[in-house]
Amino acid sequence: MAISNLSDAEARLLEEPVDGCVDYRGRPVLRSSSGGWRSAKFMIGVEVAERFAYFGIESNLITYLTGPLGQSTVTAAENVNVWSGTTYVLPLFGALVADSFLGRYRTVVVASLIYVLGLGLLTLSTMLPASTTTFDCQNTNNITLCTSPPDHQFQVILFLFSIYLVAVAQSGHRPCVQALGADQFDEQDPEECKIKSSFFNWWGFGICLGALSTRLILNYIQDNLSWALGFGIPCIVMVVALSIFLLGTKTYRFSIKRDVKSPFERIGLVFVAAARNWRISPSAMVVVEEEEEACRILPHHQNSDQFKFLNKALLALADGSNEYENVGSSISDIEDAKALLSVVPVWMTSLAYGIVTAQCATFFTKQGATMDRTVALGFDIPAASLQSFISLAIILTLPVYDRIFVPFARAFTGKPAGITTLQRVGTGLFLCTISMVIAALVEMMRLKTAKEHGLVDEPNVTVPMSVWWLIPQYVVLGVTEACTMVGLQEFFYNQFPTELRSVGLSCYLAILGVGNFLSGFLISTVDKLTSRDGQYSWFDNNLNHGHLDYFYWLVAGLSALGLISFLYFSKSFIYKRGTGLVYS
């Protein structure tokens, strides 16, 4: 809408500088020519490309490891979990660097360059001669020993170095692009604040669009044409993504840092001061408590009734005496520290979600590879492409949620986002458990079918059961992510202090990372326990001998426990005001 068609009040508002923001040259920015969807669309476009590149590796990694690199199912699954876990945990460090030193914009640029380098080396590793996968084997005392030739070892080293370089790159890329995108909407403006909630929904939509493109296109290219081409295309896409990001620079809003001190230093000093003053008597805190009580009227001080032991950080010893005076940490710093503590139970109880999602790129894919994947005469759908149903479910769910459910729920609850973010996350965690129950039931059916057709000892023969039986578990997991993924992103962004919002978003990613590590630990432990005394492991290379169904039931149980714990802690959670999005 043109400014000339607006009322005088609206036109003046658009021409006013946005408080707390500057442009790329450090000058005040006008609301009419910066931020909003005008800038956010660049961020979403970049994230679509980045997710296309990332899932180009992650979605089919287990196939490459068990195929060209010749690893066992258990080893490959553990390696996928470790790499995926690393990619989701590292953003904590990338966000720390961005929020404390480089800034989000510069971090994204540097990370994108590293991303391109990693993908280039990855493509190079797959172009090594096919002979590099030949092993030297010798038979000694009826024992066959095989060793990798030097060229194969070099290929493996280069491959692993490349994918971990990608992990380092996305650690700075993903949380900073999203935080910078959310920064384009002013929290103090009611309309922009409401739109920000939609931004997180459409951000999730963009992520899934990138993932869907990968799973429909790249997985087929990798399985049927060329691994080099399948990894080379994402490299080109990331070059285009960096160009798109740079194109929008002049429209971006950059937040002004509130304090010269690092936010980690300010908040860390709160905990140090509170620990030093733990012996302060209640009488010495009377004046401080009265001052703290008066500050509750400020919109961002919502955790005042929680973690009151941190209020002791308001005091410090006066010079040359044993008396305390009110010259310690500021009330604002203490409230930020309380906000960080308040999200810890939510983070801990959401870890089961990370364990469940880790199964998609490992056992779900291996499970599908044993089944009838014929779609049309002469065409079999790649097992990894089944993950596209997760993306499809999210793509279909998010617009319905944003355009239909939110306005409907808003009419009843009066909340800008319809329901609170934790209610949304809790719904997702419930569906998370349901998806694993479905997976266990389908695997029981697959094992029964293999037994009925005498295929238990025939691992290379397709089990006569349609792969479409796996679709429900993928679809339910997709709806789960539409609730949990977006809900957790919005929750951590809103509850963290402004200067630490990149770190807040990386906390969501860390849930997935630690979930992958826990999944790897579970797999390793269960494999050792179930393969003792010559028994078949639950994860035997011949899945017809294994018992993935037992493992799925185990994960479903852990997910249910996580849901119960989450509901217990979320009932008493106090949202941080000032976001204008959700209140308890």
Side-chain angles (χ1 to χ4, degrees):
M1 183 181 293
I3 293 181
S4 58
N5 296 328
L6 299 175
S7 67
D8 292 341
E10 290 174 325
R12 283 196 301 272
L13 179 63
L14 289 175
E15 290 303 321
E16 289 180 356
V18 180
D19 186 40
C21 293
V22 295
D23 67 5
Y24 70 107
R25 291 183 176 177
R27 302 171 302 188
V29 292
L30 299 179
R31 196 179 304 277
S32 61
S33 59
S34 69
W37 284 117
R38 156 192 314 106
S39 301
K41 64 186 179 183
F42 287 102
M43 315 293 181
I44 293 177
V46 167
E47 188 63 12
V48 170
E50 190 275 332
R51 289 293 87 186
F52 179 88
Y54 173 80
F55 284 109
I57 302 172
E58 191 259 3
S59 63
N60 214 15
L61 182 56
I62 194 168
T63 304
Y64 188 80
L65 293 177
T66 56
L69 293 191
Q71 296 183 352
S72 68
T73 299
V74 171
T75 301
E78 290 175 350
N79 284 335
V80 171
N81 284 157
V82 170
W83 179 75
S84 295
T86 302
T87 63
Y88 286 121
V89 169
L90 279 180
L92 283 171
F93 300 97
L96 187 154
V97 170
D99 288 346
S100 299
F101 304 105
L102 285 181
R104 292 163 190 163
Y105 178 85
R106 284 190 290 269
T107 301
V108 172
V109 174
V110 173
S112 297
L113 293 173
I114 297 174
Y115 222 128
V116 172
L117 175 61
L119 290 169
L121 292 176
L122 180 62
T123 305
L124 177 63
S125 74
T126 62
M127 296 172 66
L128 295 177
S131 60
T132 57
T133 58
T134 301
F135 294 85
D136 297 326
C137 299
Q138 295 180 344
N139 189 290
T140 305
N141 297 327
N142 295 321
I143 300 176
T144 301
L145 300 175
C146 296
T147 58
S148 302
D151 55 349
H152 178 71
Q153 293 177 0
F154 174 74
Q155 182 188 31
V156 172
I157 292 172
L158 180 59
F159 179 82
L160 293 176
F161 175 78
S162 302
I163 62 174
Y164 278 95
L165 192 61
V166 169
V168 171
Q170 72 94 44
S171 73
H173 193 284
R174 192 173 179 191
C176 294
V177 171
Q178 188 172 11
L180 190 59
D183 288 345
Q184 305 310 306
F185 302 94
D186 183 11
E187 288 182 348
Q188 307 307 316
D189 180 80
E191 286 303 314
E192 288 196 21
C193 193
K194 186 184 298 184
I195 294 173
K196 185 194 288 188
S197 184
S198 291
F199 165 77
F200 283 99
N201 286 324
W202 289 106
W203 179 269
F205 182 91
I207 288 176
C208 297
L209 188 62
L212 177 63
S213 302
T214 289
R215 289 157 179 167
L216 289 179
I217 301 172
L218 283 188
N219 290 162
Y220 178 82
I221 292 174
Q222 292 166 348
D223 282 3
N224 298 281
L225 298 179
S226 166
W227 283 100
L229 184 60
F231 290 140
I233 292 174
C235 183
I236 297 172
V237 168
M238 280 306 300
V239 173
V240 175
L242 176 58
S243 302
I244 291 173
F245 181 75
L246 294 175
L247 281 175
T249 300
K250 292 184 178 180
T251 72
Y252 298 159
R253 295 174 184 172
F254 299 88
S255 298
I256 300 173
K257 287 190 175 182
R258 186 180 74 183
D259 201 315
V260 176
K261 280 187 179 179
S262 161
F264 291 97
E265 181 183 358
R266 290 189 295 101
I267 295 172
L269 288 174
V270 172
F271 291 103
V272 172
R276 286 177 177 172
N277 299 342
W278 70 278
R279 286 187 172 182
I280 291 180
S281 63
S283 59
M285 290 295 298
V286 171
V287 176
V288 177
E289 292 287 352
E290 290 177 353
E291 180 176 343
E292 193 269 344
E293 178 75 22
C295 288
R296 293 188 188 189
I297 59 174
L298 295 177
H300 57 288
H301 291 156
Q302 275 301 105
N303 295 295
S304 299
D305 292 328
Q306 296 180 316
F307 312 115
K308 281 200 168 186
F309 65 91
L310 289 178
N311 291 346
K312 295 181 179 181
L314 287 166
L315 295 178
L317 280 173
D319 294 336
S321 72
N322 292 323
E323 298 295 326
Y324 287 93
E325 59 183 5
N326 193 7
V327 294
S329 299
S330 70
I331 293 176
S332 181
D333 289 346
I334 290 174
E335 290 298 325
D336 284 346
K338 290 180 179 181
L340 292 184
L341 274 186
S342 69
V343 304
V344 172
V346 174
W347 189 90
M348 293 289 292
T349 54
S350 299
L351 289 176
Y353 161 69
I355 296 176
V356 171
T357 58
Q359 311 315 314
C360 299
T362 53
F363 293 130
F364 280 18
T365 300
K366 294 298 292 183
Q367 192 179 9
T370 69
M371 302 169 72
D372 182 8
R373 294 177 283 116
T374 302
V375 177
L377 188 62
F379 177 76
D380 289 351
I381 184 173
S385 292
L386 293 172
Q387 296 172 54
S388 62
F389 286 95
I390 296 177
S391 302
L392 275 173
I394 300 174
I395 287 174
L396 294 175
T397 300
L398 285 176
V400 172
Y401 184 92
D402 189 69
R403 297 303 181 185
I404 299 176
F405 175 77
V406 170
F408 179 79
R410 186 185 296 148
F412 289 92
T413 65
K415 302 181 189 301
I419 58 176
T420 67
T421 49
L422 291 184
Q423 288 171 340
R424 182 175 186 174
V425 172
T427 301
L429 294 181
F430 170 75
L431 294 174
C432 201
T433 304
I434 298 300
S435 69
M436 291 311 301
V437 171
I438 295 173
L441 293 174
V442 172
E443 177 62 8
M444 289 172 64
M445 187 185 303
R446 192 195 68 83
L447 290 174
K448 182 180 179 182
T449 303
K451 185 176 181 180
E452 289 175 347
H453 289 79
L455 300 177
V456 174
D457 297 317
E458 301 290 340
N460 297 321
V461 178
T462 300
V463 175
M465 178 178 172
S466 175
V467 76
W468 301 119
W469 280 99
L470 296 179
I471 303 307
Q473 67 198 54
Y474 281 108
V475 170
V476 174
L477 197 56
V479 179
T480 294
E481 292 206 25
C483 295
T484 309
M485 173 184 69
V486 180
L488 286 173
Q489 288 174 354
E490 188 174 353
F491 172 78
F492 285 118
Y493 178 87
N494 288 329
Q495 300 311 310
F496 266 62
T498 303
E499 301 99 320
L500 293 178
R501 281 176 167 171
S502 296
V503 176
L505 288 170
S506 66
C507 278
Y508 153 73
L509 298 174
I511 289 174
L512 300 179
V514 175
N516 272 274
F517 288 139
L518 291 175
S519 176
F521 173 76
L522 276 176
I523 292 170
S524 178
T525 303
V526 170
D527 179 61
K528 290 177 182 178
L529 292 175
T530 58
S531 61
R532 292 184 303 183
D533 302 324
Q535 299 294 316
Y536 289 119
S537 166
W538 287 2
F539 316 113
D540 193 85
N541 286 340
N542 177 2
L543 291 186
N544 298 333
H545 284 159
H547 267 294
L548 279 182
D549 53 335
Y550 292 172
F551 181 69
Y552 289 160
W553 284 119
L554 174 62
V555 174
L558 293 174
S559 181
L561 288 175
L563 172 61
I564 293 171
S565 302
F566 175 86
L567 294 175
Y568 174 79
F569 287 108
S570 62
K571 281 177 62 178
S572 58
F573 186 84
I574 300 175
Y575 287 95
K576 176 183 175 183
R577 287 188 184 271
T579 62
L581 294 175
V582 288
Y583 305 104
S584 58

